[in-house]
Amino acid sequence: MTKTKRISGMVLGIFFIGLCVSFLRLSQFGVDPFSAMNLGISGFIGWSFGTWQLLVNAIILVVVFFQARSCIGAGTIINMVCVGYIADFICYVANDVVQIQMNLPLRVIALLLAQLMASMGVALYMVADMGIAPYDSVAIIIEKLTHQKIPFHKARVLSDVVVVIIGIIFATASGVGIWSVVGIGTIINACFNGPLIQFFKTKLERFYL
């Protein structure tokens, strides 16, 4: 794989993830599991989503450094810094500048596009092998620590379920309500993201090679 392909795959993947988070927020069907946790906690403590997500990523990065150092690269830093702010910016433009009225058909389309972008985005920057987001390394660490007894796709579902529960707890405690962060979109993402990432990763590996 050429360096140009790797860089373009990494950048495109990160951009897709930012779009995914923003589309899920706009759909109002619930965001992805990691964002659900971060939206719940950031709402509870009164921080912006992008700033809180950056801090959480930095904390997880410390664990990744000791358990899966090979997962860290330029893409890791760009992902942890940019995704939250990309999502904040797109939501600001859609809600405050363009003032898009999200009717039911648009919400459904946003939900479907978000899931596609989530899986494709993660697969793209994993195949690019220039570092992956700290949270995406969690499933790899679980697979490693269990000696492959819990494979990546199952480990991803497990980690997603845990962060969703945390998001529900904090969203409820903040008074925002769980349905602002958790919904059918969250469930779809938690159940299908792992398998779809694996599917797209396999296809992209063949393309890049």
Side-chain angles (χ1 to χ4, degrees):
M1 186 189 305
T2 65
K3 187 174 182 180
T4 301
K5 278 188 175 181
R6 293 176 64 198
I7 293 174
S8 61
M10 179 264 289
V11 172
L12 187 60
I14 290 171
F15 181 65
F16 277 178
I17 297 300
L19 283 177
C20 161
V21 176
S22 62
F23 279 14
L24 283 173
R25 289 168 66 178
L26 291 170
S27 77
Q28 301 174 42
F29 283 123
V31 296
D32 65 280
F34 188 53
S35 297
M37 179 185 75
N38 290 326
L39 280 170
I41 297 176
S42 63
F44 180 76
I45 64 177
W47 287 23
S48 75
F49 168 74
T51 301
W52 172 253
Q53 178 149 300
L54 176 59
L55 176 60
V56 173
N57 274 323
I59 294 171
I60 298 175
L61 184 62
V62 174
V63 178
V64 176
F65 179 81
F66 290 105
Q67 293 294 332
R69 199 170 303 177
S70 61
C71 293
I72 300 175
T76 307
I77 307 303
I78 295 173
N79 186 297
M80 62 185 284
V81 172
C82 294
V83 168
Y85 291 118
I86 289 173
D88 277 346
F89 176 73
I90 293 173
C91 286
Y92 164 73
V93 171
N95 291 326
D96 299 331
V97 179
V98 182
Q99 297 183 345
I100 297 175
Q101 299 300 313
M102 294 297 293
N103 55 31
L104 184 58
L106 284 178
R107 291 173 61 199
V108 172
I109 291 172
L111 172 62
L112 295 176
L113 286 176
Q115 180 57 64
L116 180 64
M117 290 177 183
S119 305
M120 178 68 81
V122 174
L124 268 167
Y125 69 68
M126 287 183 74
V127 171
D129 195 26
M130 295 190 69
I132 60 178
Y135 178 70
D136 292 324
S137 302
V138 171
I140 295 174
I141 293 173
I142 294 174
E143 184 179 41
K144 173 187 174 183
L145 293 178
T146 60
H147 304 287
Q148 287 75 49
K149 290 181 180 178
I150 303 179
F152 173 83
H153 63 283
K154 292 183 179 179
R156 179 62 186 235
V157 172
L158 175 63
S159 61
D160 282 350
V161 169
V162 170
V163 295
V164 165
I165 292 172
I166 295 173
I168 290 173
I169 292 171
F170 278 93
T172 303
S174 67
V176 174
I178 63 173
W179 301 118
S180 62
V181 296
V182 178
I184 188 172
T186 312
I187 296 171
I188 291 173
N189 196 279
C191 293
F192 293 100
N193 214 27
L196 283 175
I197 290 170
Q198 190 65 41
F199 170 78
F200 284 123
K201 186 169 175 286
T202 301
K203 299 296 182 183
L204 286 167
E205 283 172 344
R206 293 177 183 174
F207 171 77
Y208 275 111
L209 294 176

